Amino acid sequence: MTIERDYTTKLAIDDVTIDRRDIEMLDAIERCGSMHRAAEELGRSYARLQNRVVEIEEAVGQITERKRGGSGGGGTELTETARKLRRQFDRHDAALDGVARVTESVFAGTVRDRTGELATVETAVGPIVALAPEGASDVQLTVRSDAVVLTDPDETPRANETSLRNRFRGTVAKLEPGDEITRVTIDLTAGAGSDHDPDATEAALEALVTNASVDRLALKPGREITASFKATAARAVSVDAETDDSP
């Protein structure tokens, strides 16, 4: 099973929070050259749009100014302050977009051994060393896709030569390429034992790698690969059932 994080970009300035609706409003004002026409295009009332402009201006300064009338008539245009606000929002949105696509692979397991904050957890794909709360027994592990390292099985360093405590042999099940990054789904069924259900979702591990790494490793469905990650990249949450004290 995988979990994808969902975030919404917002800018907090004093007591005013700028969200995507506000950026859409600024875009419409610039595109239409009029607050009245922008309100109509967005399906909002002019009064509400104007009030929102005033609220934002109280926090950041003037974001619109009236154009003088002439042959083309008057109107409204954005100030440089408004354009800077939009650029700042776009930068945060772009940075957040990369984080938002980071998924977490989830594994259920049972704590078998512990050394300080680290525990060895037995899962459907084998033992995983992870950070686990003290006293936990039945747990749910999450591993971030951007923390998983893929290597050719023949070139993988020996265990005592790396800090990557968790290592699994699997096969590439799916590739989801982006502009620069590819999400790789690895099927860990082969290392899960002969009695493991090959259709079980807990046998999948996701990794984010650069497109250059996809080419270098010749990744494609069916390709054998080694997936590794640090113990600190795996975090366990207790799912122990509450003790029933009733007679």
Side-chain angles (χ1 to χ4, degrees):
M1 178 175 65
T2 60
I3 297 173
E4 185 155 2
R5 301 186 175 197
D6 185 19
Y7 299 91
T8 301
T9 303
K10 294 181 179 180
L11 298 179
I13 305 172
D14 294 333
D15 294 330
V16 176
T17 300
I18 310 297
D19 60 19
R20 188 169 299 282
R21 278 176 57 88
D22 296 317
I23 301 304
E24 291 173 351
M25 176 185 70
L26 295 179
D27 289 342
I29 291 173
E30 183 168 59
R31 185 168 55 251
C32 298
S34 163
M35 289 179 60
H36 280 285
R37 288 196 292 272
E40 291 175 359
E41 180 181 295
L42 295 171
R44 306 179 196 174
S45 72
Y46 173 76
R48 286 190 176 183
L49 188 143
Q50 185 180 46
N51 287 339
R52 184 56 180 165
V53 168
V54 171
E55 290 175 353
I56 295 173
E57 289 185 332
E58 288 177 349
V60 305
Q62 188 175 358
I63 61 174
T64 63
E65 59 184 7
R66 294 284 299 174
K67 294 187 296 184
R68 294 184 178 180
S71 59
T76 303
E77 61 184 14
L78 298 183
T79 65
E80 182 58 27
T81 298
R83 294 189 177 91
K84 287 181 179 179
L85 185 64
R86 289 164 63 197
R87 289 194 295 268
Q88 185 178 5
F89 184 92
D90 288 342
R91 285 195 299 270
H92 281 273
D93 194 44
L96 183 59
D97 189 46
V99 175
R101 285 196 296 265
V102 173
T103 57
E104 292 180 335
S105 301
V106 181
F107 304 91
T110 303
V111 173
R112 297 301 185 196
D113 192 17
R114 175 183 290 277
T115 304
E117 298 88 353
L118 297 178
T120 299
V121 181
E122 289 295 337
T123 74
V125 298
I128 295 177
V129 181
L131 291 170
E134 185 176 355
S137 178
D138 293 328
V139 298
Q140 188 175 69
L141 288 171
T142 58
V143 181
R144 285 174 57 96
S145 56
D146 59 343
V148 178
V149 177
L150 302 184
T151 53
D152 187 301
D154 296 331
E155 299 176 357
T156 301
R158 290 180 296 183
N160 61 355
E161 297 176 345
T162 176
S163 62
L164 303 174
R165 298 277 300 275
N166 297 293
R167 179 179 302 175
F168 296 92
R169 180 77 68 92
T171 57
V172 175
K174 184 169 61 173
L175 299 172
E176 299 175 67
D179 292 338
E180 299 293 337
I181 302 295
T182 293
R183 177 178 290 130
V184 184
T185 301
I186 304 112
D187 180 6
L188 302 180
T189 302
S194 58
D195 59 346
H196 182 76
D197 179 1
D199 295 324
T201 56
E202 63 267 24
L205 178 67
E206 291 197 347
L208 288 180
V209 300
T210 63
N211 292 346
S213 294
V214 172
D215 295 336
R216 179 176 57 81
L217 293 169
L219 297 181
K220 61 181 180 179
R223 162 82 152 100
E224 288 194 4
I225 200 74
T226 298
S228 308
F229 52 91
K230 293 182 178 182
T232 52
R235 296 178 178 269
V237 176
S238 177
V239 293
D240 296 342
E242 294 185 3
T243 302
D244 184 3
D245 295 326
S246 59

